[in-house]
Amino acid sequence: MSKPIYFDNHATTPVDPRVLEAMIPYFTENFGNAASRNHAYGWVAEDAVEKGRKQIASLIGANSKEIVFTSGATESNNLAIKGVAEMYAEKGNHIITAATEHKAVLDTCKHLEKKGCRITYLPLKGDGLVDLDMLRDAITDKTILISIMYANNEIGVIQPVKEIGKIAKERGVLFHSDAVQACGKIPVNVVEDGIDLLSITGHKLYGPKGVGALYVRRKNPRVQLTAQMDGGGHERGMRSGTLNVPGIVGLGAACEIAQREMPEESARLRALRDKLRAKLEASLEETYINGTMEHRLPNNLNMSFAYVEGESLLMGINDIAVSSGSACTSATLEPSYVLKALGLGDDLAHTSIRFGLGRFNTEAEVDYVAQKMIDVVNKLRELSPLWEMFKDGVDLSKVQWTAH
Amino acid sequence: MAYSDKVVDHYNNPRNVGSMDKSRTDVGTGMVGAPECGDVMKLQIQVNSATGIIEDAKFKTFGCGSAIASSSLATEWLKGKSVDEALEIKNTDIVSELALPPVKIHCSVLAEDAIKAAINDYKTKQGAPVSAETVSH
Ligand SMILES: Cc1ncc(COP(=O)(O)O)c(C=O)c1O
């Protein structure tokens, strides 16, 4: 079997060949430790790291001194949230986040809750956006941090980051944003957006896995963090550990390419995404878009296909790699908590598919995927007792189901 | 998730898909599950009331591939069995025939429930003292 068509670019992206090419010498001839200050191997490595720092900083409008390298966004989120909670414990113990954050944020907050922090998990509006009034009302004099993601990994919805940044600044609260899905896809600027801490990872923007960064503001205000790992005091004491030089080179190169090609790439992906949506909607009734289309990453489409269960849909399109909010496809056997947070019933959450387009997808692939989806949805609806009832005019919400 | 060849076969070529007129007295209908749980099975049998033999069986299922396969297999097994023999079908038989993994056992349970519900419905109809059909004769 040839490899499935890859439409799951929110999960991870392939490394761009140009990125790989930049990385290779740093595994072999330029293998030095960036902390070796007294010989050429170290200097070469350090130069490469500093170049990477600049490339990342440039993508997000930061100063390269504000970039702390990590092993990925999970670590960046942990470091940002736990680091602030510990450092600012005297000032307060309250953190505000949202119900649709990535687990790396939510579970970090749950951990802090056990240690005596108070966490507010903001509910989302039906379109997937944070309610700014609710955010304002949630802030107390004990609030030290707001952590709201830039763009969501399931529904691609982009939060009103600038407004959140303003509110945070007005109230003297730090603002952390998990920008993993946004960086390299849409313009992100920590100055204009008023962000104090920002998480980024290599493998979502055509860089390598296992490397990421945390932006930590140095001025207005100067943000301090309690390190979460003890060791050699690398990265201004915020993150010990020998730097992953080839990874950093790769992350840097990926950021530079993304910044340069963003206008063209985002327009191309938006057109492909819109074509996919139009084709599906033209041929299939009873489809629902999850989350607002108005504030959304150009490469994301999240759709529910009513009366067709998500896992059976995935089985029918097994030459296409996508993901589903269906319970059957998750380890927990629970449907997507993100879709549930939008107020979507479990029945529609079970029927959702996330399409994540990427740099290497083509129009021919979009045409193929659209047709395949249409065929499989139609076939499964022929099999679906719910579809039959819907067609017979039965109101499914009034049926007495034998829940088990 | 990897599916067994038999599950894939039933998914690709589901047997006995369809619906029967559920108002008929020789038809028993079982509908089990709930949309919020991610699976709903509708299973129907048509019984020769003279012999008590299930002459036809049909299904429609909303659910994962294993749920579709379990109900498709159930219709195959039901045909030609007497109602009492049909009650002997156990979910564990379905599990072993389809090589279902532990997380999919609930699909086989649902199929067994659907069989029982269909037979129950049929028996209730048969037990009814005067059916609409006989009156009109
Ligand atoms: C929004 C978001 N945050 C954090 C992560 C975790 O990133 P990493 O895999 O680099 O730890 C991901 C990816 O899974 C993500 O999509």
Side-chain angles (χ1 to χ4, degrees), chain A residues 10-11 71-75 77 102 104 149 151 153 178 180-181 201 203-204:
Chain A
H10 297 296
S71 63
T74 299
E75 187 188 340
N77 288 339
H102 192 266
M149 69 203 322
N153 46 299
D178 174 347
V180 159
Q181 298 289 343
T201 190
H203 72 103
K204 311 273 186 179

Side-chain angles (χ1 to χ4, degrees), chain A residues 9-12 70-77 100-105 149-154 178-182 199-204 208-213 354:
Chain A
N9 286 281
H10 297 296
T12 192
T70 65
S71 63
T74 299
E75 187 188 340
S76 298
N77 288 339
T100 51
E101 293 293 312
H102 192 266
K103 289 285 180 192
V105 167
M149 69 203 322
Y150 213 109
N152 184 269
N153 46 299
E154 288 191 32
D178 174 347
V180 159
Q181 298 289 343
S199 302
I200 179 169
T201 190
H203 72 103
K204 311 273 186 179
K209 295 173 180 57
V211 64
R354 172 184 77 178

